[in-house]
Amino acid sequence: SVEEAIVRALETRHPKVILASLALFNHVKNWSLLLKLAKEYNVRRKIGALYDLTRRFMKVRRIGKRTLNSLLKTKNEPKFMVDNFKSKDFMDIEKKWNVYLPFNKVDMLEYEQWW
């Protein structure tokens, strides 16, 4: 399913795969399944941060407030999506979700060009 593909993309810890999975947020129909899988794989904050990043550059379906708050209420989760990669452009998202994004604004603009 689309929800599982997003979680599996984060598990690869490869920037290109994670970048390619951003477009999948527009196809998510079952946000509760995405939350369940995120809990299982311990990637809740990462999914929330990627969702916020995707909303800045693409038109994406809305996530429910209850699901968004559940994604935000986690502790003891690794901060890096990709080992030792930090963003310099999206510090507000990183601060909110307490996760380091592996993309800069240039990466997102190039991706937007191909999408």
Side-chain angles (χ1 to χ4, degrees):
S1 67
V2 175
E3 294 85 2
E4 191 174 348
I6 293 171
V7 174
R8 298 263 175 152
L10 277 170
E11 284 295 305
T12 63
R13 301 179 70 94
H14 194 273
K16 288 185 180 181
V17 176
I18 295 171
L19 188 64
S21 71
L22 295 181
L24 294 176
F25 278 109
N26 203 20
H27 300 285
V28 173
K29 290 186 172 59
N30 192 351
W31 291 105
S32 60
L33 175 62
L34 183 64
L35 177 63
K36 179 184 169 196
L37 290 170
K39 282 181 184 178
E40 188 177 313
Y41 287 93
N42 199 25
V43 292
R44 285 178 274 187
R45 286 188 177 269
K46 294 176 185 177
I47 287 180
L50 284 179
Y51 175 77
D52 274 353
L53 179 67
T54 306
R55 285 204 40 108
R56 284 207 180 165
F57 293 96
M58 294 182 222
K59 197 170 185 180
V60 180
R61 290 184 182 194
R62 288 247 167 160
I63 190 170
K65 289 209 179 231
R66 180 180 285 173
T67 307
L68 197 63
N69 287 335
S70 296
L71 288 173
L72 196 57
K73 284 185 184 176
T74 185
K75 296 177 183 172
N76 301 332
E77 198 173 284
K79 287 191 174 199
F80 288 98
M81 285 189 200
V82 178
D83 294 330
N84 299 324
F85 272 71
K86 287 185 183 180
S87 168
K88 295 178 183 172
D89 297 324
F90 305 114
M91 293 200 175
D92 56 331
I93 295 174
E94 289 177 349
K95 188 175 180 180
K96 176 182 176 184
W97 291 97
N98 200 20
V99 170
Y100 296 119
L101 294 170
F103 310 114
N104 287 321
K105 197 168 188 172
V106 175
D107 299 329
M108 295 306 296
L109 292 175
E110 284 181 19
Y111 179 72
E112 195 177 50
Q113 200 175 41
W114 292 106
W115 188 71

